[in-house]
Amino acid sequence: MAFLKPGAVRIAAVCMLALLVTGCSANWGWYVVSPTTKTGMSNLLFLLGGLRYTLLLSFTAILISIVLGLLVALPGLSDNRYLKLFNRTYVEFIRAIPILVMILWVYYGLPQLGDIKIGVFWAGVIALALSDSAFQAEIFRAGIQSIHRGQYEAAQSVSLNYVDTMRFVILPQAIKRILPALGNQLVYMLKMSSLVSVIGMQELTRRANELVVTEYRSLEIYTILVLEYLVLILIVSAGVRWLERRMRADERG
Amino acid sequence: MILNGVNKNNANHYHRLGHLPRFADSGNAARRAGRSDGRTAPPMREKAIVTQVDGAAAGAPIIEMSGVCKWFGEFQVLKDIDLLVRTGEKFVVCGPSGSGKSTMIRCINRLETHQQGRIVVDGTELTDDARDISAVRSEVGMVFQQFNLFPHLTAIENLMLGPVRARKMSRKDARERAEFYLERVHIPEQADKYPGQLSGGQQQRVAIARSLCMEPRIMLFDEPTSALDPEMISEVLDVMTELAESGMTMICVTHEMGFARRVADTMVFMDAGEIVETADPETFFGSPRSDRCKRFLQQILGH
């Protein structure tokens, strides 16, 4: 955990302290998730158990959306009119669909197209990845366009073909520049994964919902949920910033 | 085919030359290039040998441009360019800015496309055919005003990328070759540094070595010293002079007239997209024919 800087830890600590102070008033019933009692402990573990699915869902979706985004961005940079048109159409169309609608469409709609069976997890992954890929495509396009023309010319003058030019010269530089934006998308994805709860995915939000239904302590349980996302995202953004620092260090030495 | 045969022979000549321990060194080049490591100067090689090899191989046309025209929108940047460069010849192109010098040499490796006329490089005519373009590019090295090194790769990785990816060399062979050419531009000790850690002059020498690593038969220089601080110009020109002495076919766009006098076989003066004057350096500097050329020379040599 070398990348956990004191800043992130401090933010988390302040947030928790504030909650703890207010949480001591009479209106709160922390017993519902208190690790000191048997039911409290099992409730808490039930909530935390969703972490696994949230992480799995978000990271699978972001990986797919990065690949999709790149595949959509590259035609957008070509001189060919039709390839450009494909890029614009894809981006505008996908970007216009709300994520929740996309999830419902993929899970309930898509199977009726034919004999397609999609599980909750993959429906969630596909919906999130598709929705995000339009944004990734725009991020990649901007990043690649920011690379100076001289880099292409130098690559051409040492006889590199298009794929090698992209792979070894342009993308490594572009990715370094778009890393903050990619980090943003990852955070966004972690949060949007909560929407997959509506189709029954057992991730953080779904579990909190289910527990609220049986325990009737929505304040405490949703507070725990807020904290779960907070800690998760602080860790992720600290990780992204650590990656940025490391990649920049390469060039300065 | 005959032309091809001659060229292949010459390629062998060059190849052998390229792998001699070191090429002709003007003696103070190493010192000026900032070698302060106390190593002894590299062994001198007789210039005569080089010239002889040149003499034997020179003569075969390697770049032929005829009636080349190019427009940027409405504006005509190249007007009916005719140029014939033979193997081993060194051309220096000068002229006021905006005269089309850079555009002309960029057409030779198809970084710019011409709209009229013919360009034949080493027996291959430049058309839209991607395979022909790639064949030409692998014979033509290019050095840019802004160096255009790959900033995310170390100096030696910059040199190795082309041979490994385009020439399909093994990493080991490519590394050996890269080390050889870094030595040739006098900066073997900077191999593992990133471009951002090098001075402008060092960066440009890495860029020259990167081109040489592809073992091209022609080198194009597009104002290679224009972006450099004055104190770094000579280290780059020294490397270029040594390269010229090794028998490389070169076209240099530059305003370094001292270098031009020393190295050029032929001076080319361009203005407003035309080749106005072509002459050997002595005639060119001594008695230029056109008024435009006279005026230009006065301006850059006057102070």
Side-chain angles (χ1 to χ4, degrees):
Chain A
M1 297 300 230
F3 57 80
L4 267 187
K5 288 283 147 187
V9 178
R10 228 175 291 143
I11 295 169
V14 169
C15 293
M16 295 212 197
L17 200 68
L19 277 163
L20 216 67
V21 171
T22 54
C24 287
S25 75
N27 295 336
W28 294 70
W30 280 117
Y31 68 88
V32 70
V33 288
S34 166
T36 51
T37 66
K38 208 175 157 206
T39 31
M41 188 63 180
S42 85
N43 284 347
L44 192 60
L45 287 179
F46 176 71
L47 287 177
L48 291 175
L51 205 59
R52 206 179 121 211
Y53 297 104
T54 293
L55 286 175
L56 208 59
L57 190 68
S58 311
F59 280 95
T60 316
I62 197 106
L63 282 180
I64 295 174
S65 85
I66 284 175
V67 175
L68 271 180
L70 186 57
L71 290 179
V72 173
L74 291 176
L77 295 161
S78 109
D79 291 329
N80 184 310
R81 209 149 47 96
Y82 297 102
L83 289 177
K84 262 194 178 135
L85 187 68
F86 161 75
N87 168 277
R88 287 326 301 164
T89 315
Y90 183 95
V91 169
E92 297 299 343
F93 182 73
I94 297 288
R95 205 160 54 171
I97 305 169
I99 299 179
L100 183 55
V101 176
M102 183 74 100
I103 293 169
L104 295 174
W105 189 84
V106 171
Y107 188 63
Y108 296 112
L110 198 59
Q112 293 192 356
L113 246 181
D115 199 19
I116 310 171
K117 280 213 171 65
I118 308 178
V120 175
F121 177 77
W122 285 107
V125 166
I126 292 169
L128 288 180
L130 274 180
S131 300
D132 197 49
S133 64
F135 295 92
Q136 297 285 7
E138 290 295 87
I139 292 171
F140 270 109
R141 192 167 63 90
I144 293 170
Q145 273 173 341
S146 78
I147 304 297
H148 192 262
R149 200 168 63 126
Q151 292 290 308
Y152 291 91
E153 292 177 354
Q156 283 172 358
S157 73
V158 290
S159 289
L160 293 191
N161 60 29
Y162 175 77
V163 174
D164 284 347
T165 302
M166 279 296 159
R167 184 170 153 206
F168 295 103
V169 178
I170 305 300
L171 284 179
Q173 297 182 60
I175 286 173
K176 201 175 294 180
R177 291 190 194 177
I178 63 176
L179 213 54
L182 289 182
N184 241 349
Q185 285 308 110
L186 181 55
V187 166
Y188 187 69
M189 186 69 97
L190 280 166
K191 297 202 290 186
M192 289 307 133
S193 70
S194 63
L195 289 174
V196 185
S197 63
V198 300
I199 56 171
M201 180 77 206
Q202 285 282 318
E203 42 68 72
L204 290 174
T205 307
R206 177 73 180 197
R207 291 194 173 210
N209 275 338
E210 287 180 2
L211 201 61
V212 167
V213 172
T214 54
E215 296 284 352
Y216 304 109
R217 297 289 337 176
S218 37
L219 177 61
E220 296 75 15
I221 293 168
Y222 286 137
T223 303
I224 293 286
L225 184 61
V226 167
L227 287 178
E228 283 174 318
Y229 281 112
L230 177 73
V231 170
L232 196 61
I233 282 162
L234 282 176
I235 293 175
V236 165
S237 50
V240 172
R241 247 172 291 131
W242 171 79
L243 202 63
E244 274 175 51
R245 271 198 306 275
R246 229 194 62 157
M247 290 185 91
R248 252 177 303 164
D250 267 4
E251 276 168 40
R252 296 192 188 143
Chain B
M1 286 323 284
I2 293 167
L3 196 135
N4 257 342
V6 174
N7 287 346
K8 285 286 166 321
N9 273 340
N10 187 61
N12 291 337
H13 273 304
Y14 174 59
H15 198 72
R16 262 197 282 134
L17 274 177
H19 284 88
L20 281 170
R22 189 170 278 278
F23 52 16
D25 194 309
S26 52
N28 56 9
R31 182 169 47 77
R32 274 196 250 149
R35 283 169 60 113
S36 50
D37 52 3
R39 274 193 274 167
T40 49
M44 291 258 247
R45 238 190 52 219
E46 262 103 322
K47 251 187 195 175
I49 298 173
V50 181
T51 327
Q52 237 173 9
V53 173
D54 275 355
I62 192 161
I63 303 171
E64 291 175 84
M65 300 176 92
S66 50
V68 172
C69 296
K70 178 175 176 61
W71 289 263
F72 284 136
E74 293 286 290
F75 179 71
Q76 188 168 7
V77 269
L78 294 181
K79 296 175 189 159
D80 202 21
I81 298 289
D82 291 313
L83 193 72
L84 177 72
V85 181
R86 294 170 187 282
T87 307
E89 281 187 317
K90 291 104 188 87
F91 274 56
V92 169
V93 184
C94 62
S97 58
S99 57
K101 314 175 296 273
S102 292
T103 310
M104 181 182 77
I105 68 164
R106 286 161 60 86
C107 280
I108 295 171
N109 69 345
R110 198 88 174 164
L111 290 179
E112 303 282 356
T113 54
H114 58 287
Q115 284 130 351
Q116 255 178 44
R118 273 163 57 88
I119 302 178
V120 181
V121 180
D122 199 13
T124 310
E125 181 173 357
L126 280 169
T127 56
D128 283 330
D129 188 325
R131 221 173 316 154
D132 285 348
I133 295 172
S134 148
V136 166
R137 281 187 183 146
S138 65
E139 298 294 339
V140 181
M142 176 109 187
V143 175
F144 302 89
Q145 183 177 351
Q146 298 295 340
F147 328 137
N148 294 343
L149 290 175
F150 308 131
H152 60 297
L153 301 177
T154 61
I156 195 147
E157 287 167 347
N158 264 277
L159 267 62
M160 288 165 63
L161 188 57
V164 169
R165 299 306 307 180
R167 291 264 198 259
K168 308 291 174 209
M169 276 177 92
S170 73
R171 288 191 68 81
K172 186 173 157 286
D173 291 348
R175 178 169 287 275
E176 266 171 33
R177 186 188 278 191
E179 279 164 358
F180 172 80
Y181 283 107
L182 276 181
E183 184 88 25
R184 251 180 96 158
V185 298
H186 315 304
I187 38 174
E189 71 281 0
Q190 310 289 359
D192 295 318
K193 290 208 180 149
Y194 287 92
Q197 298 168 307
L198 302 175
S199 73
Q202 290 170 330
Q203 288 190 50
Q204 192 60 298
R205 284 186 284 150
V206 172
I208 293 172
R210 177 176 67 181
S211 287
L212 292 177
C213 256
M214 296 298 286
E215 310 220 307
R217 306 194 49 217
I218 303 161
M219 285 287 286
L220 307 174
F221 292 86
D222 188 3
E223 304 206 27
T225 55
S226 299
L228 293 175
D229 290 333
E231 73 271 20
M232 292 169 184
I233 290 177
S234 66
E235 66 188 52
V236 171
L237 291 181
D238 285 342
V239 165
M240 288 168 64
T241 308
E242 292 166 37
L243 186 63
E245 283 164 0
S246 80
M248 177 67 80
T249 309
M250 289 163 66
I251 302 184
C252 312
V253 173
T254 182
H255 292 138
E256 296 296 332
M257 289 305 146
F259 168 79
R261 262 188 237 261
R262 227 173 25 247
V263 165
D265 301 312
T266 307
M267 295 294 303
V268 175
F269 174 71
M270 285 182 76
D271 190 21
E274 295 172 301
I275 293 184
V276 177
E277 196 154 335
T278 309
D280 62 280
E282 209 171 314
T283 321
F284 183 81
F285 290 111
S287 49
R289 274 170 295 140
S290 70
D291 286 339
R292 281 193 280 184
C293 189
K294 271 180 208 155
R295 222 174 312 127
F296 176 75
L297 285 176
Q298 267 164 13
Q299 273 162 359
I300 64 165
L301 297 174
H303 55 264

